[in-house]
Amino acid sequence: KSKLEVFKKAVCKKFSFIKSLGLLPAKAFPMFEEEEIPPEFQENVKKDKPLHIVMIIPEEEYKNIGKIREEIIKLVKDSGEKLWVHIKTEVDLWNYGLDSKFNFIDAISACMPLHDKGFLGALRVANIHKTLVLGKFDRYISNYIISGSLVRGTAGPDSDVDVAVIIDDTDVKRMTRIELLERLRAIIYDYIKESTALAGVKNKLEPQVWLLTDFWQGIRDANPVYFTFLRDGIPLYDRGTFLPWKRLLQMGKIKPS
């Protein structure tokens, strides 16, 4: 982190609008190199073994990404460190979720923050909570969805983080659907405090816990709460139900009342 301090200060001075700057975990380097670095550069990258940095910029700055990239290359050279900077907007990040590339979101949420206006911290607390929940009872979790100010790009260091955990109740045999909901809901809420402590942030996690059958019925009835999560939500985990429903909504097959 001390080696990157000069680079961080130079980047923040040059681009005061950036939302976050973070060092990716080393185990994610090969994944990003294979997916995001042009083939003609991959051999040199594997030889140089650079540190990989994620830079999150506002969506409105996407039109200037070419110029930003040129300036970043100069700053990397001036720093004297071997770095590769991945410049992304929030939309780029959420597209990972819409493409079911959840491991990329996991990696970015696990970044060591060099500079953060709240985006990385809010994402981190949600992703830690997701990991704890899936580790406890992944067979019952159909979807873990994030929505609200983080997805809209307006989250700050103290913003609430809105998530929805959808429980698959279609194969419940040893208890009633309501018993399943109440039992899992209690554990999901218990993990809030632990997730916040592990993330080291002030953001308050606000989970909604729903049964899969109730969620689908709510979508059919155009329930405004369910409908908003389907329209605006981004999956951090999906077993194959949320994204098809979202596609149906985009196609106009699911309509609000």
Side-chain angles (χ1 to χ4, degrees):
K1 187 173 182 179
S2 61
K3 287 184 178 181
L4 296 172
E5 190 66 21
V6 173
F7 174 72
K8 181 203 79 171
K9 289 181 178 179
V11 171
C12 292
K13 182 178 181 181
K14 186 74 176 181
F15 306 107
S16 59
F17 53 76
I18 68 170
K19 288 179 171 288
S20 303
L21 194 69
L23 173 64
L24 283 165
K27 65 181 181 181
F29 289 180
M31 180 174 70
F32 276 81
E33 289 171 359
E34 182 178 350
E35 179 80 11
E36 305 206 341
I37 294 179
E40 61 269 22
F41 294 114
Q42 287 190 7
E43 185 174 344
N44 287 336
V45 166
K46 290 178 181 179
K47 180 181 177 181
D48 292 341
K49 297 181 179 179
L51 297 174
H52 288 264
I53 307 290
V54 169
M55 176 177 170
I56 308 295
I57 63 174
E59 179 62 25
E60 57 267 24
E61 293 294 333
Y62 179 77
K63 60 183 181 296
N64 301 317
I65 197 167
K67 294 179 180 179
I68 295 171
R69 186 174 287 113
E70 290 177 3
E71 293 295 332
I72 287 294
I73 291 173
K74 293 178 183 177
L75 293 176
V76 169
K77 289 180 179 178
D78 292 343
S79 73
E81 300 293 336
K82 293 181 179 179
L83 307 173
W84 190 284
V85 181
H86 304 268
I87 305 171
K88 300 186 177 298
T89 69
E90 303 107 311
V91 173
D92 293 326
L93 183 62
W94 303 137
N95 281 338
Y96 285 133
L98 297 175
D99 293 336
S100 297
K101 295 180 178 179
F102 308 123
N103 51 341
F104 282 87
I105 297 180
D106 291 345
I108 292 174
S109 72
C111 277
M112 180 182 74
L114 304 173
H115 168 79
D116 188 27
K117 291 182 178 178
F119 183 86
L120 280 180
L123 179 65
R124 184 164 63 252
V125 70
N127 209 66
I128 290 174
H129 186 256
K130 178 202 75 173
T131 302
L132 292 172
V133 169
L134 289 176
K136 183 67 175 180
F137 35 68
D138 68 308
R139 61 169 291 201
Y140 289 117
I141 304 303
S142 175
N143 318 94
Y144 193 101
I145 313 300
I146 193 165
S147 188
S149 60
L150 187 61
V151 175
R152 293 193 300 270
T154 59
D158 301 319
S159 298
D160 291 348
V161 182
D162 298 311
V163 299
V165 184
I166 302 177
I167 298 170
D168 186 355
D169 61 326
T170 60
D171 190 29
V172 181
K173 296 183 176 67
R174 297 187 180 275
M175 65 185 86
T176 67
R177 295 169 56 251
I178 299 303
E179 287 174 335
L180 176 68
L181 175 63
E182 293 304 320
R183 183 176 298 182
L184 268 59
R185 177 186 281 155
I187 299 172
I188 289 168
Y189 286 159
D190 283 345
Y191 278 143
I192 294 175
K193 187 175 181 179
E194 184 176 352
S195 303
T196 304
L198 288 170
V201 297
K202 297 179 181 179
N203 306 81
K204 184 180 178 182
L205 195 66
E206 294 283 0
Q208 302 283 346
V209 185
W210 298 315
L211 294 174
L212 180 62
T213 52
D214 289 343
F215 185 80
W216 175 231
Q217 186 62 50
I219 294 299
R220 293 180 62 190
D221 296 340
N223 179 294
V225 176
Y226 296 147
F227 191 87
T228 299
F229 260 92
L230 180 61
R231 182 192 64 200
D232 301 335
I234 300 293
L236 300 186
Y237 175 80
D238 179 36
R239 286 223 314 251
T241 54
F242 187 82
L243 286 172
W245 288 340
K246 195 173 182 73
R247 179 60 63 189
L248 287 171
L249 175 63
Q250 292 167 344
M251 293 169 61
K253 302 296 185 181
I254 299 175
K255 301 180 186 297
S257 62

